[in-house]
Amino acid sequence: MAQGPEEPIPGVDLDRPSVARVYDWYLGGTANWAIDREFGKMVLSAFPAGMYCARANRAFLHRAVRHLVRLGVRQFVDIGSGVPTMGNVHQIADEVAPDSRVVYIDREPVAVAHSRILLERHGDPERHAVIQGDLREPDELWESVADTGVIDLDQPLALLVTAVLHIQQPGRDGRDLGPEAIARYREMLSPGSYLVLSQITHEGLPDDIARQLHAVIQLYDTNVSKHVLRSNAEIRALFGDFELLDPGVTWTAAWHPEESGLNTPVIDFADPSEAAMLAGVARKP
């Protein structure tokens, strides 16, 4: 595993691990610090497959982007995009469609700072942007996306919310606002747009994975942030009346494996359910 940066970025809290930075470490990135790596090692000691689950989710994201580009999508909004590790949405989309446009959104300062550095070096300011925003504030966030000038919100786009919704999105009253926020995004998306989701489930897992995952969730709840796991039916409900693409809601490792490319990691599980995350892509009528 690569080591993280020595000096913190302004605004970064190094008193506790960060979900985004620990996830970056799972993916082999360098935008993490000792506190994140130590926590990640604790997680992997309790859940050895955790790193592969994270990488299977990133591979799903790659395949979903390729699939949607082939369906004609040229605009992508990635909420909870994390830090630039193991292939970014614009890099994957550009493989097939060099005219694609992408806006990255995260509330983690490290994710935003590193994404800006990446885009300065390898991006196109007319086609790519990164903003700091909060999933729980759909209207404000959507206005910020419009202000970039990169995305035409009146035209179809793909909204990507992958490996985000199992992290509790609490409102002032403590309720998880994730489903309400996703419902608002569905309303704001123009017809013909797509919603791409993935999240950890507690349902249908092999017994050993279920036990290990339970222990890991307790670690996260105590040391990082609260988590909310959903059933297959609850994840399907997040798509509302959108039309799910085949094969519907399925394991990340099982969603259109034929769309894998040279820059997509190949994660082999004895059974796709070992990936622990369900995923799906749906189109707004």
Short mmCIF file of all heavy atoms in Angstrom, two decimals, residues 7 27 31 37-38 45 54 59 63 75 82-83 93 97 103 110 117 130 134 139 142 181 196-197 216 235 274 280 285:
data_model
loop_
_atom_site.label_atom_id
_atom_site.label_comp_id
_atom_site.label_asym_id
_atom_site.label_seq_id
_atom_site.Cartn_x
_atom_site.Cartn_y
_atom_site.Cartn_z
N GLU A 7 2.02 16.24 4.77
CA GLU A 7 1.45 17.46 5.29
C GLU A 7 -0.06 17.48 5.07
O GLU A 7 -0.54 17.19 3.98
CB GLU A 7 2.08 18.68 4.60
CG GLU A 7 3.58 18.82 4.86
CD GLU A 7 3.89 19.04 6.33
OE1 GLU A 7 3.07 19.68 7.02
OE2 GLU A 7 4.94 18.57 6.78
N LEU A 27 -8.41 1.44 -1.92
CA LEU A 27 -8.24 1.41 -3.37
C LEU A 27 -6.79 1.55 -3.81
O LEU A 27 -6.48 1.52 -5.00
CB LEU A 27 -9.07 2.53 -4.02
CG LEU A 27 -10.59 2.43 -3.85
CD1 LEU A 27 -11.27 3.62 -4.51
CD2 LEU A 27 -11.13 1.12 -4.41
N ALA A 31 -4.06 9.58 -0.88
CA ALA A 31 -4.70 10.73 -0.21
C ALA A 31 -5.24 10.31 1.15
O ALA A 31 -6.43 10.42 1.43
CB ALA A 31 -5.80 11.31 -1.09
N ARG A 37 -4.97 4.93 7.71
CA ARG A 37 -4.39 3.63 7.41
C ARG A 37 -4.50 2.68 8.60
O ARG A 37 -4.77 1.48 8.42
CB ARG A 37 -2.92 3.79 6.98
CG ARG A 37 -2.78 4.58 5.69
CD ARG A 37 -1.36 4.55 5.18
NE ARG A 37 -0.42 5.31 5.99
CZ ARG A 37 -0.17 6.61 5.85
NH1 ARG A 37 -0.83 7.32 4.94
NH2 ARG A 37 0.73 7.22 6.60
N GLU A 38 -4.30 3.20 9.81
CA GLU A 38 -4.42 2.34 10.99
C GLU A 38 -5.84 1.84 11.16
O GLU A 38 -6.07 0.67 11.49
CB GLU A 38 -3.96 3.10 12.24
CG GLU A 38 -2.46 3.36 12.29
CD GLU A 38 -1.65 2.09 12.11
OE1 GLU A 38 -1.95 1.09 12.82
OE2 GLU A 38 -0.73 2.08 11.28
N SER A 45 -8.54 -6.49 9.34
CA SER A 45 -8.29 -7.61 10.26
C SER A 45 -9.61 -8.28 10.65
O SER A 45 -9.66 -9.48 10.91
CB SER A 45 -7.55 -7.13 11.50
OG SER A 45 -8.35 -6.27 12.29
N ALA A 54 -14.52 -2.87 -1.80
CA ALA A 54 -14.36 -1.49 -2.25
C ALA A 54 -13.93 -1.44 -3.71
O ALA A 54 -14.44 -0.64 -4.50
CB ALA A 54 -13.34 -0.77 -1.37
N ALA A 59 -15.05 -0.85 -9.62
CA ALA A 59 -15.17 -1.49 -10.93
C ALA A 59 -16.59 -1.37 -11.48
O ALA A 59 -16.79 -1.16 -12.69
CB ALA A 59 -14.76 -2.95 -10.83
N ARG A 63 -17.84 0.33 -15.04
CA ARG A 63 -18.67 -0.37 -16.02
C ARG A 63 -19.96 0.39 -16.29
O ARG A 63 -20.44 0.46 -17.42
CB ARG A 63 -18.96 -1.80 -15.54
CG ARG A 63 -17.70 -2.65 -15.39
CD ARG A 63 -18.01 -4.13 -15.31
NE ARG A 63 -18.94 -4.45 -14.25
CZ ARG A 63 -18.61 -4.72 -13.00
NH1 ARG A 63 -17.32 -4.68 -12.63
NH2 ARG A 63 -19.52 -5.03 -12.09
N GLN A 75 -23.19 13.51 -20.06
CA GLN A 75 -23.07 14.34 -18.87
C GLN A 75 -23.16 13.48 -17.61
O GLN A 75 -24.07 12.64 -17.51
CB GLN A 75 -24.19 15.38 -18.83
CG GLN A 75 -24.23 16.32 -20.02
CD GLN A 75 -25.19 17.48 -19.76
OE1 GLN A 75 -24.77 18.63 -19.69
NE2 GLN A 75 -26.47 17.19 -19.62
N GLY A 82 -15.42 11.16 -3.81
CA GLY A 82 -14.23 10.70 -3.13
C GLY A 82 -12.96 11.29 -3.74
O GLY A 82 -12.99 12.25 -4.50
N VAL A 83 -11.83 10.69 -3.40
CA VAL A 83 -10.55 11.18 -3.90
C VAL A 83 -10.22 10.48 -5.21
O VAL A 83 -10.72 9.40 -5.50
CB VAL A 83 -9.44 10.96 -2.86
CG1 VAL A 83 -9.68 11.80 -1.63
CG2 VAL A 83 -9.34 9.49 -2.47
N ALA A 93 -15.05 7.84 -19.01
CA ALA A 93 -15.95 8.32 -20.06
C ALA A 93 -15.18 8.74 -21.30
O ALA A 93 -15.61 8.48 -22.44
CB ALA A 93 -16.79 9.47 -19.53
N ALA A 97 -15.99 8.45 -25.13
CA ALA A 97 -16.58 9.69 -25.62
C ALA A 97 -15.77 10.89 -25.15
O ALA A 97 -15.99 11.39 -24.04
CB ALA A 97 -18.03 9.82 -25.17
N VAL A 103 -19.06 16.64 -13.48
CA VAL A 103 -18.89 17.46 -12.28
C VAL A 103 -18.77 16.51 -11.10
O VAL A 103 -19.63 15.65 -10.90
CB VAL A 103 -20.07 18.43 -12.06
CG1 VAL A 103 -19.99 19.07 -10.68
CG2 VAL A 103 -20.07 19.51 -13.13
N VAL A 110 -10.21 16.77 1.52
CA VAL A 110 -9.16 16.04 0.79
C VAL A 110 -9.66 15.63 -0.60
O VAL A 110 -8.95 15.77 -1.59
CB VAL A 110 -8.71 14.80 1.58
CG1 VAL A 110 -7.86 13.89 0.71
CG2 VAL A 110 -7.92 15.23 2.80
N ILE A 117 -6.64 19.20 -8.09
CA ILE A 117 -5.27 19.01 -8.59
C ILE A 117 -5.28 18.12 -9.83
O ILE A 117 -4.63 18.41 -10.84
CB ILE A 117 -4.38 18.40 -7.49
CG1 ILE A 117 -4.16 19.41 -6.36
CG2 ILE A 117 -3.04 17.94 -8.07
CD1 ILE A 117 -3.49 18.82 -5.13
N VAL A 130 -15.10 20.46 -10.21
CA VAL A 130 -15.28 19.84 -8.90
C VAL A 130 -15.79 20.91 -7.94
O VAL A 130 -15.32 22.05 -7.97
CB VAL A 130 -13.97 19.21 -8.37
CG1 VAL A 130 -12.85 20.22 -8.30
CG2 VAL A 130 -14.18 18.56 -7.01
N ASP A 134 -22.96 19.06 -0.32
CA ASP A 134 -23.53 18.10 0.61
C ASP A 134 -24.74 17.43 -0.02
O ASP A 134 -25.68 18.10 -0.45
CB ASP A 134 -23.94 18.83 1.90
CG ASP A 134 -24.21 17.88 3.05
OD1 ASP A 134 -24.82 16.82 2.82
OD2 ASP A 134 -23.82 18.20 4.19
N ASP A 139 -31.19 21.06 -3.48
CA ASP A 139 -31.45 22.27 -4.26
C ASP A 139 -30.21 23.16 -4.33
O ASP A 139 -29.87 23.67 -5.41
CB ASP A 139 -32.63 23.03 -3.67
CG ASP A 139 -33.94 22.27 -3.85
OD1 ASP A 139 -34.58 22.43 -4.91
OD2 ASP A 139 -34.31 21.49 -2.95
N TRP A 142 -27.64 21.39 -6.56
CA TRP A 142 -28.01 21.44 -7.98
C TRP A 142 -27.72 22.82 -8.57
O TRP A 142 -27.29 22.96 -9.70
CB TRP A 142 -29.48 21.08 -8.14
CG TRP A 142 -29.78 20.17 -9.30
CD1 TRP A 142 -30.71 20.37 -10.28
CD2 TRP A 142 -29.19 18.89 -9.58
NE1 TRP A 142 -30.71 19.31 -11.16
CE2 TRP A 142 -29.81 18.39 -10.74
CE3 TRP A 142 -28.21 18.13 -8.95
CZ2 TRP A 142 -29.46 17.16 -11.30
CZ3 TRP A 142 -27.85 16.90 -9.50
CH2 TRP A 142 -28.48 16.44 -10.66
N ALA A 181 -33.31 12.89 0.12
CA ALA A 181 -32.48 13.64 -0.81
C ALA A 181 -32.50 12.99 -2.20
O ALA A 181 -32.63 13.68 -3.21
CB ALA A 181 -31.04 13.71 -0.29
N VAL A 196 -27.57 6.17 -10.91
CA VAL A 196 -26.65 5.05 -10.65
C VAL A 196 -26.41 4.99 -9.15
O VAL A 196 -25.92 5.96 -8.56
CB VAL A 196 -25.32 5.24 -11.39
CG1 VAL A 196 -24.38 4.06 -11.11
CG2 VAL A 196 -25.55 5.40 -12.89
N LEU A 197 -26.75 3.87 -8.52
CA LEU A 197 -26.63 3.73 -7.06
C LEU A 197 -25.91 2.44 -6.70
O LEU A 197 -26.06 1.42 -7.39
CB LEU A 197 -28.01 3.70 -6.40
CG LEU A 197 -28.90 4.94 -6.46
CD1 LEU A 197 -30.26 4.61 -5.84
CD2 LEU A 197 -28.26 6.10 -5.72
N VAL A 216 -17.49 -4.89 11.44
CA VAL A 216 -16.91 -3.70 10.80
C VAL A 216 -17.82 -2.48 10.96
O VAL A 216 -17.35 -1.37 11.22
CB VAL A 216 -16.62 -3.98 9.31
CG1 VAL A 216 -16.37 -2.69 8.55
CG2 VAL A 216 -15.42 -4.90 9.19
N ILE A 235 -33.34 -0.70 -1.29
CA ILE A 235 -32.47 -0.12 -2.31
C ILE A 235 -33.24 0.09 -3.61
O ILE A 235 -33.10 1.12 -4.28
CB ILE A 235 -31.22 -0.99 -2.51
CG1 ILE A 235 -30.36 -0.94 -1.23
CG2 ILE A 235 -30.41 -0.53 -3.71
CD1 ILE A 235 -29.21 -1.91 -1.20
N GLU A 274 -20.43 -12.01 -2.15
CA GLU A 274 -19.31 -11.66 -1.28
C GLU A 274 -18.91 -10.19 -1.44
O GLU A 274 -18.21 -9.64 -0.60
CB GLU A 274 -18.11 -12.56 -1.58
CG GLU A 274 -18.35 -14.02 -1.22
CD GLU A 274 -17.17 -14.92 -1.58
OE1 GLU A 274 -16.11 -14.37 -1.98
OE2 GLU A 274 -17.30 -16.15 -1.47
N GLY A 280 -27.42 -0.72 -8.97
CA GLY A 280 -28.35 -0.68 -10.08
C GLY A 280 -28.26 0.63 -10.84
O GLY A 280 -27.68 1.61 -10.35
N PRO A 285 -38.25 8.07 -16.99
CA PRO A 285 -39.10 8.07 -18.20
C PRO A 285 -39.25 9.48 -18.79
O PRO A 285 -39.19 10.47 -18.09
CB PRO A 285 -40.44 7.54 -17.68
CG PRO A 285 -40.13 6.85 -16.37
CD PRO A 285 -38.95 7.60 -15.80
#
